[in-house]
Amino acid sequence: MTSIRALDTTIEVITPENISFDYQLAGPFRRLPAYLIDIVSRWCLIVLFVLPLYLSSLFFDIFTMRNLVTLPFFVAVTLLVYFVISWFYGTLMETYFNGRTIGKWITGIRVIEVDGRPITGRSALLRNLLRIADLAPMYAISNVAEGVPPIYMIPTGMVGLGTMMLTRRMQRLGDLAAGTMFVIDEKRWRIPVETVDDARVPALATYLPADLRISRSMARTLAVYVDRRGAMAPTRRREIARHLIDPILEKVGFRPEIDPDLMMYTLYYHAFLRTEVAVSDTQDQVDLGVLRGHSPLRTSSVVCKHDNDAMPVERSSHVKSEPSDIDPAKSLQVKSREERP
Amino acid sequence: MRIAKRMKDRQPQWEELERLCDAMELRGRTDKALGGSYSGAEGIQRFASLYRSACADLALADAYQLPPATVAYLHRLVARAHNQLYRANRVDFRSWIDVLFVEAPKRIFADPCVRVSAIVFFGLFCLSMYLAFHEQQFPGYAEAMAGQSALEQAEDSFEQPLNASLGHYIVMSGFYIQHNTGIGLRCFAWGILIIPCLYVLASNAIQLGAVFGYMARSETASGDHFFQFVTAHGPFELTAIALSAAAGLRLGIGLFYTSGLSRIDSVRVNASRAVPIMGASAMLFVLAAFTEGFLSPSPAPYVFKAFWAILSSGLISFYFVILGFHDQPTSDVPSGKAKEDWDAA
């Protein structure tokens, strides 16, 4: 649709069903905690495997009254377990748990192929082996601390961080080679249900002409506006809404003093929430509330006594004090206008 | 139809799909979701049809004029269901046998990186061995390259004739698998940056060569024991080091020699080519570790060890040449019909 891609961290994936949907990409700030958790859980796993082995070898030696028969086996198996887990923890986890390790599961991210398919064994192997290169260059602790043997090195991860910044999908070198990317795997996401809590809105909506068409772009604008309006002060809402609302007021024949924010909300209600019921029913169901007796219509023959009060900008509920001069004939006139084809 | 009504109609299905996703994420099955009303094939069918209808909703979101927040929700729902429907394949060991015995030898045979790394490794190894052996012409070479303490340690540890218990063998083969294969894998990973890989390869070659040359001198007392030790596993081990570096170089070369692909695609294609070579190297490392653990330190006669070395060299040659030989060089561009698709894409 638009030729300019949105400047954010989503990536479009086209499924085999020929549907394109957006994935939220995960950047370094989500991936680092996952990696740190993985380091810890890797060591926990090694201990978890080795401890029962050690105990069973100990018991075996005690029961058979022999000294250290099984110890060599134990040491060899320990070395093998250490080797397999420290090198292939990520590979095995990602292939068995659909692109997730323990750290990724906790931080809610998942690794998939760049085309949206699940990760394959080969890609998982590559990206996990190449982590070493991504953690480069090593920084020797002995540079800053005296007396530390030069074997202790801290990986700075500059290579990985650099490539992550330079690539569109935020991939490190290993991801580039394996053709994988990280996506955020949101677990809970409730369906947003907008409800209108303002009693004036349904009432005002009944005055809108029934044939009022809301264009797609207008509908999108309305939804975004209603989504964001809670974060804005009333004066700001009015300022923003005015630009859009003024021509519409003209079009639907409402009086220009109507609060633009309220009008936006009403249009939103009209576009998204109003159920398809006969207008006459609506008139019965909707409690006109504060609007009772006031018509927002400019050209309507219903002439309001308190013109300036008709659609007060911020109106409190002083309904009772309003003169309730509903004339059946006048409401009919309003209806007839609404039932216009 | 009004949007509110449509959303009200669709919402139960979206929620049902979410519950199925929950169940799939936890157990990989749909049995426990929705009170067990769907299980097995029925559950998958239900899941798939719900997923397809969610896809359709998303595709029509614009036409339906759904609010952006709902569209965002649908994007996430579809992504989540997509992740469950198209799950990662478990590692298939049969396919890995195929990779190791069909794909890997062909790649190794055709890959110039293997030749480069073999020449670098064995060339430097032989040169270093020669320099270390002739102490008169090159005094202090072995000590400078391998380090005085390392040489003395090597000399000390082969003072006694080779003789060890079973327990020792087992521990040592475990250690060699862990240690040496680790070095190989590291060498491979550094390959993507090329220079560290070449450095590791060259330094290994030079140090090993220096130790070999030093031990081969007639005045070194424990030289005989040393060569008895290294003969059996030498072919496997040295080839494995060269191969892992070759796989690493293949990764790194992709960055520069893109052969018409974009740089990132080229890295990807080359990385995929490097994996079988690395797999073969890891296999050789493991074979070397078992030989090094069990046969090398045993008091078995030297003839037997030499025979094993010749046999293993023969096996490696068979693997590289007989299994690897093929008419046209392998490339990642498939032939025939598939090639047209590739070009079209």
Side-chain angles (χ1 to χ4, degrees), chain A residues 30-42 89 93 99-110 182:
Chain A
R30 254 182 203 256
R31 293 172 61 172
L32 182 68
Y35 177 58
L36 295 179
I37 294 169
D38 275 338
I39 293 177
V40 174
S41 51
R42 197 152 61 192
Y89 165 86
M93 283 264 182
R100 306 180 113 175
T101 59
I102 294 171
K104 295 185 186 83
W105 174 62
I106 290 172
T107 51
I109 54 180
R110 188 192 292 277
F182 268 83

Side-chain angles (χ1 to χ4, degrees), chain A residues 15-291:
Chain A
T15 69
E17 290 78 19
N18 214 7
I19 303 295
S20 73
F21 63 88
D22 290 345
Y23 263 127
Q24 200 83 33
L25 288 170
F29 294 103
R30 254 182 203 256
R31 293 172 61 172
L32 182 68
Y35 177 58
L36 295 179
I37 294 169
D38 275 338
I39 293 177
V40 174
S41 51
R42 197 152 61 192
W43 281 104
C44 291
L45 263 184
I46 292 173
V47 170
L48 219 65
F49 269 98
V50 167
L51 208 62
L53 272 175
Y54 178 67
L55 289 180
S56 57
S57 104
L58 211 65
F59 280 126
F60 186 80
D61 281 352
I62 290 169
F63 281 125
T64 53
M65 298 295 201
R66 280 189 287 182
N67 208 10
L68 303 177
V69 191
T70 52
L71 189 69
F73 288 99
F74 164 70
V75 174
V77 171
T78 304
L79 284 166
L80 280 185
V81 165
Y82 171 75
F83 170 72
V84 169
I85 292 181
S86 62
W87 279 99
F88 300 108
Y89 165 86
T91 310
L92 294 174
M93 283 264 182
E94 279 163 18
T95 44
Y96 275 87
F97 299 110
N98 198 12
R100 306 180 113 175
T101 59
I102 294 171
K104 295 185 186 83
W105 174 62
I106 290 172
T107 51
I109 54 180
R110 188 192 292 277
V111 56
I112 57 171
E113 303 268 327
V114 284
D115 53 7
R117 284 179 309 163
I119 190 165
T120 61
R122 193 181 277 213
S123 308
L125 181 71
L126 258 174
R127 62 177 302 280
N128 281 291
L129 285 184
L130 291 183
R131 180 168 291 121
I132 294 174
D134 273 310
L135 290 175
M138 297 294 206
Y139 185 76
I141 299 184
S142 48
N143 284 1
V144 280
E146 296 286 322
V148 178
I151 50 164
Y152 291 108
M153 309 276 246
I154 306 176
T156 54
M158 285 302 145
V159 172
L161 209 58
T163 45
M164 248 189 247
M165 286 167 139
L166 291 173
T167 49
R168 154 107 182 85
R169 295 190 181 88
M170 294 192 277
Q171 295 161 297
R172 62 177 174 83
L173 219 46
D175 287 324
L176 282 178
T180 53
M181 64 179 178
F182 268 83
V183 293
I184 295 174
D185 204 26
E186 219 71 64
K187 207 164 167 52
R188 282 260 149 251
W189 194 271
R190 81 193 158 73
I191 301 176
V193 185
E194 288 293 340
T195 50
V196 172
D197 45 6
D198 195 332
R200 295 173 297 171
V201 170
L204 188 57
T206 59
Y207 288 100
L208 288 173
D211 61 347
L212 178 66
R213 285 266 158 255
I214 307 271
S215 69
R216 281 185 195 179
S217 60
M218 181 68 185
R220 204 173 302 129
T221 312
L222 287 171
V224 173
Y225 177 80
V226 170
D227 201 35
R228 302 287 307 156
R229 76 187 272 278
M232 293 182 284
T235 45
R236 181 71 69 201
R237 288 183 206 165
R238 254 172 258 140
E239 183 193 354
I240 290 173
R242 167 144 294 130
H243 301 290
L244 205 60
I245 287 305
D246 280 348
I248 292 177
L249 287 179
E250 192 80 25
K251 199 169 128 193
V252 299
F254 279 15
R255 286 181 306 184
E257 316 82 70
I258 293 176
D259 182 2
D261 173 50
L262 184 65
M263 190 64 199
M264 280 291 258
Y265 216 180
T266 308
L267 286 174
Y268 175 79
Y269 176 82
H270 177 82
F272 291 112
L273 298 176
R274 202 186 57 160
T275 42
E276 198 86 32
V277 279
V279 179
S280 56
D281 294 346
T282 322
Q283 203 76 337
D284 291 340
Q285 283 167 3
V286 174
D287 176 23
L288 288 181
V290 289
L291 293 180

